[in-house]
């Protein structure tokens, strides 16, 4: 990490580690030269790589570090299932504070850490809908398309960063890994990958691999012996100085370096993995939730006592079966990809024949006008040749792209097959989940990336018009594909529902359209922004402003150009929000009824239920009807953040603002602080109204259409969801889509 003056900053506890592993990295660079990727086969004139080289070079990419591009050396397994060399990991780690940006307030002081790239944090994916420039409404489920750039704020606390002083960004997926005081050395070793690399590199080496002395500091000499007891390789000088044949060392057995290396490999294979917490126990179980091997004691009395724990061998067998099934499916698709490439090559060979036929047609038409067409004939044939070259080049490019995809897929297949040969269940399970996900992803994306359709037709989509008079011969030319005509929006199929709009359109008659681009303004007459690009002729856009008029337009395009924009259509979203309780985000003890509008609870403790829509702008009003009320319980009703604690009364933590009420009085509560006791309670049939004014950033309450107490909460900023917490003694019904009461019109008019 560089400071402002250009100096390199390094935390003191990690200095020796960084020094050691930088040295290891440099020696690795000198020992293993870089290899270039094999070039894809060209369509004509280039030799196809031999099968043995094609499959081998494809898997080589699985065995090379994404940072140094050399064979993995002591690979470490990241939580995202990617791997990295130990030296590269240590060299690439940074202080965690530098990986999480800190915004600066208006006063110039740094605020808490903010995460701007939500895709690097899948655990908080639902919060990625929150945006500083969003429409003011956030849905719990991700819409088909939405406006604005997603961002997530205030996810990591300072205490979390203090407990994890170091961080590392994955070089493949850019996800951030927070590390403890040991830094990258706390990551587990990818034993399966290490074994495969060692096996593969040994097979690739035509000469005997020289083993270096482990005690030489500068310019390590070739080892001449290894101590079977010390497990250290020595050159002649270091053996005489550090391992003399006298005293207790005289009983040690010195063997040939090659034999010693085989002895070390045999010892590692025979060594059974022991539990780090219970050194006498073998790792015989596997925790499904934590995804790590555990011993029997851990599963009975340790941290995994209530976790789903399975037999290590049974889990390994199940994962191998699942990976084998996915590999079988992907192998079939790879086979179909190979056949498709052969068909592409056959089509490329037809281009010359079809071109000859087309040339004959052109010549036959030109012979009828031979006196005036000789010069024009040369130009036409030149155009045909250009079209031929374009089609040939396009076909070559597609063959090259498909061949590259097939090589990568073949490499993944071979790598997975090698992994399946791993006999150590613990080592296999380290990477099985990631490999299954990769194979499933490759299987899902194969047809899309392979395209499975030629980019250009071998047929010549041209025609020669010989009907004009001789006076028009000088202007004679081919008919070519043109840019598409103006598409038209279908008003009767467009609609607006709640805070989403649906737009449908149709292409211009006889136009060839490869894709459409749909644009929408910001609901306030602002600039248009792209919300959809694709071949579909209908799109639904969610997460918009309520009570706003949106303008939409669409255009088509193909490789010849773009069409004009369509006529603009205007759609108005609902004036008020309609929503229900959300079964996905609500606590599992909550019981739903009446199309998710009514809820009760099967627990004596308070459980939280959230609404299906969140608000960040505007004025919103909704009511909760008390259907059943027993035993003088205290239901708590208000608003909450998406990640509120759902196992306790609403308002106990800092992510909820609510009022809890009995049959005589009520209190406002936030952060477990009770304020503003107000007389007046509830009974069966009572109606509690909540007025959330995010223009003024306040929350007020009503009981039976009458204001209840002062303004409950002020200075409310962010995204809030309607929320209630109840136990089994209460049943309530939500009423949404209501106009704000008269008292709120003053604030609304003031804003206008």
């Amino acid at each position: 990490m560089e400071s402002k003056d250009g100096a390199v900053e390094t935390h003191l506890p990690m200095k020796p580690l960084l020094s050691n592993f930088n040295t290891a990295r440099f020696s690795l660079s000198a020992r293993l030269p870089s290899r270039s990727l094999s070039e894809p086969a060209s369509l004509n004139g280039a030799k196809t790589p031999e099968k043995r080289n094609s499959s081998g070079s494809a898997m080589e990419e699985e065995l090379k570090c994404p940072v140094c591009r050399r064979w993995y050396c002591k690979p470490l397994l990241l939580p995202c299932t990617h791997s990295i060399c130990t030296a590269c990991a240590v060299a690439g780690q940074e202080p965690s504070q530098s990986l999480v940006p800190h915004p600066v307030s208006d006063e110039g002081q740094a605020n808490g850490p903010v995460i701007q790239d939500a895709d690097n944090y899948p655990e908080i994916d639902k919060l990625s809908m929150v945006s500083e420039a969003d429409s003011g409404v956030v849905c719990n489920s991700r819409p088909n398309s939405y406006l604005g750039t997603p961002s997530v704020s205030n996810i990591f606390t300072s205490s979390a960063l203090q407990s994890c002083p170091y961080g590392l960004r994955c070089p493949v997926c850019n996800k951030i890994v927070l590390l403890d005081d040991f830094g990258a050395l706390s990551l587990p070793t990818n034993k399966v990958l290490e074994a495969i690399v060692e096996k593969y590199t040994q097979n690739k080496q035509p000469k005997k691999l020289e083993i270096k002395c482990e005690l030489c500091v500068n310019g390590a000499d070739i080892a001449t012996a290894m101590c079977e007891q010390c497990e250290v390789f020595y050159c002649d000088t270091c053996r005489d100085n550090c391992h003399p044949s006298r005293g207790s060392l005289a009983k040690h057995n010195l063997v040939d370096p090659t034999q010693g290396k085989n002895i070390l490999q045999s010892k590692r294979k025979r060594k059974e993995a022991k539990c780090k917490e219970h050194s006498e126990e073998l790792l015989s179980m596997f925790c499904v939730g934590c995804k790590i091997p555990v011993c029997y004691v851990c599963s009975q009395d340790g941290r995994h006592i209530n976790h789903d724990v399975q037999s290590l061998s049974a889990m390994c067998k199940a994962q191998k079966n699942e990976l084998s099934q996915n590999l079988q499916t992907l192998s079939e698709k790879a086979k179909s990809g190979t056949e498709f490439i052969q068909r592409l090559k056959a089509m490329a060979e037809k281009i010359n024949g079809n071109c000859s036929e087309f040339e004959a047609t052109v010549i036959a038409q030109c012979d009828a006008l031979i006196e005036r067409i000789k010069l024009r004939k040369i130009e036409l044939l030149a155009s045909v040749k250009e079209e031929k070259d374009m089609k040939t080049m396009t076909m070559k490019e597609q063959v090259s792209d498909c061949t590259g995809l097939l090589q990568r897929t073949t490499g993944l297949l071979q790598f997975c097959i090698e992994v399946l040969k791993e006999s150590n269940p613990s080592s296999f399970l380290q990477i099985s989940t990631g490999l299954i996900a990769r194979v499933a992803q490759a299987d899902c994306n194969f047809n899309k990336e392979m395209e499975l359709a030629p980019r250009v037709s071998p047929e010549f989509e041209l025609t020669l018009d010989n009907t004009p008079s001789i006076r028009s011969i000088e202007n004679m030319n081919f008919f070519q594909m043109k840019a598409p005509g103006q598409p038209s929006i279908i008003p009767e199929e467009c609609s607006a529902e709640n805070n989403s709009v649906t737009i449908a359109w149709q292409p211009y008659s006889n136009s060839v359209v490869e894709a459409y681009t749909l644009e929408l303004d910001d609901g306030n007459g602002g600039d248009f922004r792209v919300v959809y690009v694709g071949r579909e002729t209908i799109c639904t856009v969610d997460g918009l402003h309520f009570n706003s008029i949106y303008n939409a337009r669409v255009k088509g395009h193909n490789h010849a150009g773009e069409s004009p924009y369509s006529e603009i259509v205007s759609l108005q979203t609902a004036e008020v929000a309609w929503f229900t309780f959300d079964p996905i985000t609500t606590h599992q003890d909550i019981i739903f009824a009446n199309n998710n509008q009514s809820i009760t609870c099967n627990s004596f403790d308070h459980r939280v239920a959230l609404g299906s829509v969140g608000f960040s702008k505007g004025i919103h009003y909704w009511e909760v009807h008390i259907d059943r009320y027993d035993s003088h319980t205290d239901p708590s009703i208000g608003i909450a953040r998406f990640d509120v604690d759902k196992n306790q009364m609403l308002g106990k933590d800092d992510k909820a603002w609510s009022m809890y009420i009995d049959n005589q009085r009520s209190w406002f509560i936030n952060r477990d602080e009770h304020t503003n006791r107000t007389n007046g309670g509830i009974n069966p049939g009572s109606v509690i109204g909540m007025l959330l004014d995010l223009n003024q950033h306040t929350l007020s309450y009503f009981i039976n259409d009458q204001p209840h107490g002062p303004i409950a909460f002020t200075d409310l900023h962010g995204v809030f969801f309607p929320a209630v917490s109840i136990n089994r003694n209460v049943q309530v019904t939500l009423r949404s889509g209501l106009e704000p009461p008269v008292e709120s019109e003053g604030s609304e008019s003031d804003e206008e």
Side-chain angles (χ1 to χ4, degrees):
M1 176 181 177
E2 290 190 1
S3 61
K4 294 182 179 179
D5 58 359
V8 177
E9 297 179 357
T10 306
H11 289 256
L12 289 177
M14 296 303 295
K15 277 187 176 179
L17 299 177
L18 289 171
S19 176
N20 293 340
F21 281 100
N22 283 337
T23 304
R25 184 182 181 187
F26 295 148
S27 63
L28 177 67
S29 302
R31 189 166 64 251
L32 297 176
S34 59
R35 296 175 180 268
S36 60
L37 299 178
S38 58
E39 296 292 332
S42 59
L43 189 64
N44 293 319
K47 295 182 179 180
T48 304
E50 297 181 6
K51 291 185 178 180
R52 58 182 181 88
N53 293 333
S54 175
S55 60
S57 61
M59 194 177 74
E60 280 185 7
E61 293 306 307
E62 298 286 340
L63 307 181
K64 289 183 179 180
C65 174
V67 177
C68 62
R69 304 303 301 163
R70 295 179 174 87
W71 304 117
Y72 278 108
C73 179
K74 296 182 180 179
L76 300 178
L77 183 64
L78 301 178
C80 57
T81 71
H82 296 120
S83 297
I84 184 174
C85 291
T86 299
C88 297
V90 174
Q93 68 185 12
E94 304 177 39
S96 57
Q97 297 288 344
S98 65
L99 293 175
V100 181
H102 290 68
V104 179
S105 63
D106 296 336
E107 293 77 10
Q109 297 180 354
N111 296 326
V114 174
I115 300 172
Q116 297 178 343
D117 188 0
D119 292 334
N120 288 343
Y121 304 89
E123 297 81 4
I124 52 174
D125 183 64
K126 286 184 179 256
L127 291 180
S128 66
M129 293 298 300
V130 183
S131 173
E132 296 176 359
D134 65 350
S135 64
V137 178
V138 177
C139 296
N140 292 342
S141 59
R142 187 178 297 279
N144 295 338
S145 58
Y146 57 93
L147 296 177
T149 302
S151 64
V152 180
S153 300
N154 300 327
I155 300 301
F156 285 128
T157 62
S158 59
S159 60
L161 294 178
Q162 292 174 359
S163 62
C164 300
Y166 299 101
L168 176 66
R169 187 182 296 273
C170 175
V172 179
C173 62
N174 277 335
K175 291 185 178 178
I176 295 175
V177 181
L178 294 181
L179 306 169
D180 58 18
D181 292 334
F182 292 97
L185 300 183
S186 61
L187 295 170
T189 302
N190 192 336
K191 297 179 181 178
V192 175
L193 179 58
E194 186 177 25
I196 295 175
V197 169
E198 183 175 359
K199 176 183 176 182
Y200 186 79
T201 53
Q202 287 179 352
N203 295 336
K204 294 285 288 184
Q205 293 291 340
K207 300 181 180 179
K208 181 179 179 181
L209 184 63
E210 295 180 345
I211 302 174
K212 300 292 184 179
C213 174
E214 295 182 328
L215 297 185
C216 291
V217 178
N218 298 319
D221 293 333
I222 299 175
T224 58
M226 188 210 79
C227 178
E228 188 173 352
Q229 286 71 32
C230 300
E231 298 183 356
V232 176
F233 291 92
Y234 300 96
C235 64
D236 291 336
T237 303
C238 294
R239 180 194 59 197
D240 296 337
N241 295 334
C242 303
H243 200 285
S245 299
R246 59 179 179 271
S248 60
L249 297 178
K251 299 181 180 180
H252 287 202
N253 184 27
L254 297 178
V255 298
D256 180 80
T258 304
Q259 181 182 356
K261 187 173 183 179
N262 295 333
I263 292 174
L264 290 180
Q265 292 177 350
S266 300
K267 285 184 177 181
R268 285 198 295 264
K269 291 181 179 180
R270 293 196 304 266
K271 185 178 179 180
E272 296 187 81
K274 298 293 185 67
C275 179
K276 293 183 179 179
E277 297 183 8
H278 311 94
S279 57
E280 299 300 324
E281 296 291 333
L282 297 178
L283 296 176
S284 59
M285 313 294 287
F286 185 80
C287 179
V288 179
C290 301
K291 298 187 182 302
I292 58 173
V294 298
C295 69
Y296 178 77
V297 178
C298 288
S299 64
Q300 297 298 318
D301 299 323
R303 294 179 301 168
H304 307 272
I305 184 172
N306 294 323
H307 294 186
D308 182 10
V309 178
Q310 303 289 336
S311 169
L312 189 66
S313 58
M315 194 66 186
C316 179
K317 182 178 180 181
Q319 293 273 280
K320 284 191 175 183
N321 288 339
E322 183 177 357
L323 180 58
S324 299
Q325 293 174 1
N326 291 342
L327 287 176
Q328 180 65 27
T329 303
L330 183 59
S331 177
E332 292 297 328
K333 291 190 175 180
K335 180 180 178 181
S336 63
T338 303
E339 297 173 351
F340 173 68
I341 292 174
Q342 297 300 325
R343 292 198 299 271
L344 285 179
K345 293 180 179 180
M347 290 181 181
E349 295 174 356
K350 289 183 178 180
I351 292 179
N352 292 329
N354 293 335
C355 178
S356 300
E357 295 177 4
F358 188 69
E359 287 177 348
T361 302
V362 172
I363 293 173
Q365 294 176 341
C366 291
D367 285 343
L369 304 171
I370 193 65
E371 297 297 331
R372 300 286 305 271
I373 207 170
K374 288 183 179 181
L375 296 177
R376 192 62 179 166
K377 181 175 68 172
I378 298 175
E379 297 175 1
L380 291 175
L381 292 177
S383 297
V384 172
K385 186 177 183 301
E386 290 179 2
E387 182 71 9
K388 166 193 168 183
D389 294 340
M390 184 275 294
K391 289 179 178 290
T392 303
M393 182 178 298
T394 302
M395 202 70 74
K396 286 181 180 180
E397 291 176 354
Q398 187 171 8
V399 170
S400 177
D401 294 343
C402 294
T403 302
L405 174 62
L406 185 61
Q407 287 182 350
R408 294 193 299 273
T409 303
T410 304
L412 179 58
L413 285 169
Q414 294 180 345
F415 176 69
C416 293
I417 291 172
E418 291 294 331
V419 171
L420 287 174
K421 297 177 183 178
E422 174 60 33
S423 60
N424 190 324
S426 177
S427 299
F428 174 79
L429 289 175
Q430 277 190 307
I431 63 172
S432 59
T433 302
L435 280 180
I436 291 172
R438 285 187 60 192
V439 172
Q441 184 69 21
D443 182 32
C444 179
N445 295 337
F446 188 87
N447 288 343
K448 178 180 178 182
E449 296 180 5
M450 183 65 77
E451 297 180 30
L452 297 180
R455 295 174 185 173
V456 295
S457 172
E459 304 294 334
F460 279 73
E461 300 170 352
L462 304 170
T463 184
L464 183 63
D465 184 8
N466 60 352
T467 58
S469 61
I470 296 178
R471 294 188 301 269
S472 300
I473 291 179
E474 293 182 358
N475 298 322
M476 185 171 58
N477 208 333
F478 294 108
F479 283 117
Q480 299 182 359
M481 178 183 289
K482 299 179 180 180
Q486 181 186 42
S488 57
I489 292 180
I490 310 174
E492 57 270 20
E493 295 185 17
C494 298
S495 62
E497 182 178 358
N498 214 15
N499 64 322
S500 65
V501 297
T502 299
I503 301 99
W505 60 90
Q506 61 186 6
Y508 185 80
S509 178
N510 298 325
S511 289
V512 178
V513 182
E514 296 175 352
Y516 297 95
T517 298
L518 175 64
E519 298 180 358
L520 210 66
D521 68 2
D522 60 358
N524 195 28
D527 295 334
F528 283 87
R529 292 178 286 182
V530 176
V531 296
Y532 171 76
V533 176
R535 296 184 177 182
E536 299 295 331
T537 57
I538 187 170
C539 179
T540 298
V541 185
D542 297 326
L544 305 176
H545 291 280
F546 285 98
N547 196 22
S548 299
I549 297 177
Y550 285 89
N551 297 316
R553 64 185 184 183
V554 66
K555 64 180 178 180
H557 46 87
N558 57 26
H559 73 271
E562 295 181 348
S563 74
Y565 283 103
S566 67
E567 296 293 333
I568 293 177
V569 64
S570 299
L571 298 169
Q572 182 173 2
T573 54
E575 295 182 357
V576 293
W578 294 86
F579 57 93
T580 63
F581 290 111
D582 187 3
I584 298 176
T585 60
T586 294
H587 195 281
Q588 59 184 3
D589 291 341
I590 297 294
I591 302 173
F592 291 83
N594 191 22
N595 295 324
N596 299 333
Q597 292 179 331
S598 299
I599 60 171
T600 185
C601 183
N602 60 10
S603 173
F604 286 101
D605 298 322
H606 272 251
R607 297 291 185 257
V608 174
L610 296 180
S612 58
V613 172
F615 306 100
S616 64
K617 298 177 183 177
I619 301 175
H620 308 278
Y621 179 79
W622 65 95
E623 294 178 345
V624 174
H625 184 272
I626 307 300
D627 300 330
R628 178 170 56 82
Y629 179 72
D630 303 325
S631 303
H632 305 290
T633 187
D634 302 327
S636 185
I637 302 173
I639 58 176
R641 303 288 191 194
F642 184 87
D643 54 345
V644 65
D645 187 351
K646 302 178 180 64
N647 291 297
Q648 60 182 353
M649 175 184 285
L650 198 67
K652 288 284 188 178
D653 60 8
D654 62 347
K655 298 180 180 179
W657 297 257
S658 68
M659 175 186 74
Y660 72 96
I661 187 169
D662 58 18
N663 61 343
Q664 295 181 352
R665 64 192 71 82
S666 66
W667 292 264
F668 301 141
I669 181 173
N670 171 247
R671 300 175 182 267
D672 204 19
E673 298 177 0
H674 309 250
T675 60
N676 297 100
R677 170 178 168 173
T678 305
N679 292 328
I682 57 172
N683 294 296
S686 297
V687 177
I688 301 175
M690 279 140 288
L691 176 62
L692 180 60
D693 187 347
L694 291 175
N695 296 332
Q696 302 296 327
H697 309 289
T698 61
L699 175 65
S700 305
Y701 286 86
F702 295 77
I703 295 183
N704 297 328
D705 296 330
Q706 298 298 320
H708 185 73
I711 293 178
F713 301 100
T714 59
D715 197 27
L716 298 174
H717 297 271
V719 179
F720 304 93
F721 290 81
V724 300
S725 69
I726 59 175
N727 60 14
R728 64 186 306 166
N729 297 317
V730 181
Q731 178 174 321
V732 298
T733 295
L734 177 66
R735 296 175 179 175
S736 62
L738 304 177
E739 291 287 343
V742 178
E743 284 75 6
S744 67
E745 293 181 358
S747 63
E748 188 174 5
S749 62
D750 292 340
E751 183 184 0
E752 295 176 355

